[in-house]
Amino acid sequence: MAAGEKFDMKEYIEKRMMELEDPGERRLFKKMTGEILFDLYEYNRKAYESLEKRILEEYSPRQNQYTVYSTIIERSRCDITDSFLQPMCPGDMKKEPIQCQDVCQALSENRPMVVDTVFFKGSASEIYELLSQEERRFQGTVRTDTGEYPADFTLRRNKKYLQTAEELYPVFALNGRAWLTVCTAYLTKMLDVCLWRAEGMEKEGELLEICTDFEEYREQILPDMIPLWNLSELTEKTSTYPIPCIDQIHYEHRIFAQRLRTDCEYLIRNMDMEVTGIRRLNGDLYITCPKEQPCVWKLYQASVPEGRERYTYPVLSNQYKETFSGSITGMFQRSIKTRAELGRLIEAFEYGDYVTFQDVRVENGIPPECIPCNYNMDGFIADEFRTGSRRQVLVIEFAGRASGSFLTEDIMSFLVTQIQRIFPDYHCVGRLAPK
């Protein structure tokens, strides 16, 4: 039999049978071997093919199916029936009223009171400049049904949405999925408006309106904006009694396909559970863990775009091109040694409309002009190894293509964050070439 040729058990039995000259021996051989051995061989072959298919389905890269999309939208224009993007925090759909008593108590304790969250439509450098003015106070008024009071306000970065995105990191680890940086461009532009002083304000009464004069930033600060993303929280119970695994330690929990969307993928959020395996087969979701009894599973449903969605601001994601040679996770596992390989990594992400890779150089310090426009979107990860604090600086130079876009520096920071993962012994920063 030629190398690589598939073995035919039936043909092999027939050849051996024809070698027997005695008809009685031939009939006995045919009965014993043809009926018993061939059936056993077919059973083993199908079992092996089934096991091979299952292993390949579990091993095959599915990272792009867990792409995280995000955008920003006016609260009044948010469509709760949208099957693609939903509010990151469902409570954002309704603005909670502020009580005068709570405001007066916070001010009496000399602590700021967050009275609003706004979106800063500006570049990363502009936000850096604004937040660097720690003592900057903005004038405004607080109006209640008992009067109008002069007030002082400050701005600080909102952390609620960033923390929500950061919580995905252990979720991906629990599900055995390689981490891909979430593009937090919109989330870093969410700012809290903090009230520091409301002179003469009374505890009694109803708060009617808060007005703030943001001076030179008034055109860039937009109220009533909320971030959207494609992850929605669900809870589902094990659909049938868990099946013991062959090790007699773990059990396989099954959630029927009828309870899930066929066009979506799912991530387990039960951080208190020891999950050893997750797979999707014929639409059903199988979860392997030591828990013997059916339980309630917390899930993230990762929705995908249909192509008909329309939003005011661009939808950003951490998706990479499907045509990229190999996979992006494979690129992270290999060393990059040339400018061409680095360029292919950057081009794998579909942000060529914003920036294009130009060059890379090693410097001994961070160029001052790079500090305001760079930030690490994976800066919260604390379990990485570093060889030391004295690292040279890898400066990646880009050319901006989206003239006037307030997202250009953020997209550059997202791409540099990907490069930082591959070059941990360097401090990576991006630099936009002058126009």
Side-chain angles (χ1 to χ4, degrees), residues 7 49 170 173 187 206 216 222 230 238 301 334-335 409:
F7 177 71
E49 289 179 353
L187 309 186
E206 179 183 356
E216 71 269 27
L222 308 178
N230 65 317
T238 306
Q301 176 180 279
R334 300 193 302 268
S335 61
E409 292 177 348

Side-chain angles (χ1 to χ4, degrees), residues 54-225:
R54 175 175 171 177
I55 292 174
L56 288 175
E57 285 180 348
E58 292 186 16
Y59 178 77
S60 59
R62 302 163 64 88
Q63 194 66 27
N64 241 5
Q65 298 181 5
Y66 298 96
T67 298
V68 179
Y69 299 86
S70 63
T71 189
I72 196 84
I73 197 171
E74 298 91 337
R75 182 182 284 106
S76 60
R77 298 190 59 183
C78 182
D79 181 9
I80 59 174
T81 64
D82 190 344
S83 60
F84 176 40
L85 297 181
Q86 303 83 33
M88 285 190 70
C89 299
D92 287 345
M93 290 302 298
K94 184 179 179 181
K95 199 169 184 178
E96 294 295 331
I98 300 173
Q99 303 299 324
C100 291
Q101 185 175 358
D102 295 336
V103 174
C104 292
Q105 181 177 351
L107 297 180
S108 66
E109 297 173 357
N110 198 30
R111 57 183 175 87
M113 174 78 176
V114 178
V115 295
D116 199 5
T117 299
V118 296
F119 176 68
F120 185 87
K121 189 179 178 181
S123 67
S125 297
E126 291 175 311
I127 291 183
Y128 179 87
E129 179 186 359
L130 171 60
L131 298 182
S132 296
Q133 306 173 41
E134 297 180 0
E135 303 300 324
R136 178 72 180 270
R137 298 289 179 97
F138 298 94
Q139 306 301 312
T141 57
V142 176
R143 186 167 66 88
T144 69
D145 57 356
T146 60
E148 188 172 291
Y149 309 96
D152 291 342
F153 302 88
T154 61
L155 290 171
R156 70 183 184 191
R157 195 184 302 278
N158 176 277
K159 296 182 179 180
K160 178 177 70 172
Y161 303 109
L162 288 171
Q163 288 176 350
T164 302
E166 292 169 6
E167 289 170 1
L168 289 179
Y169 182 69
V171 170
F172 271 69
L174 176 68
N175 287 261
R177 302 299 173 189
W179 172 252
L180 279 181
T181 306
V182 176
C183 186
T184 57
Y186 289 116
L187 309 186
T188 58
K189 300 181 188 299
M190 301 300 296
L191 305 178
D192 286 336
V193 180
C194 302
L195 174 64
W196 278 92
R197 181 187 68 89
E199 187 176 340
M201 182 176 173
E202 300 177 0
K203 294 183 179 180
E204 304 300 328
E206 179 183 356
L207 198 150
L208 302 177
E209 186 181 22
I210 295 177
C211 297
T212 310
D213 181 11
F214 293 110
E215 301 173 12
E216 71 269 27
Y217 300 108
R218 65 172 62 95
E219 298 297 327
Q220 295 174 282
I221 293 181
L222 308 178
D224 294 321
M225 303 289 287

Side-chain angles (χ1 to χ4, degrees), residues 3-61:
E5 185 179 343
K6 188 175 181 180
F7 177 71
D8 190 335
M9 185 68 173
K10 190 173 183 179
E11 182 182 353
Y12 176 79
I13 292 175
E14 289 179 355
K15 287 182 178 180
R16 299 288 80 81
M17 183 179 64
M18 295 306 295
E19 293 176 357
L20 299 174
E21 297 181 358
D22 185 85
E25 291 181 356
R26 187 178 293 181
R27 280 193 295 270
L28 181 61
F29 180 85
K30 184 176 182 180
K31 182 177 181 180
M32 296 298 295
T33 307
E35 295 179 3
I36 298 176
L37 185 60
F38 181 73
D39 289 345
L40 179 61
Y41 171 78
E42 280 297 302
Y43 174 81
N44 288 334
R45 183 183 63 82
K46 290 179 181 178
Y48 177 81
E49 289 179 353
S50 176
L51 177 62
E52 183 182 44
K53 180 180 179 182
R54 175 175 171 177
I55 292 174
L56 288 175
E57 285 180 348
E58 292 186 16
Y59 178 77
S60 59

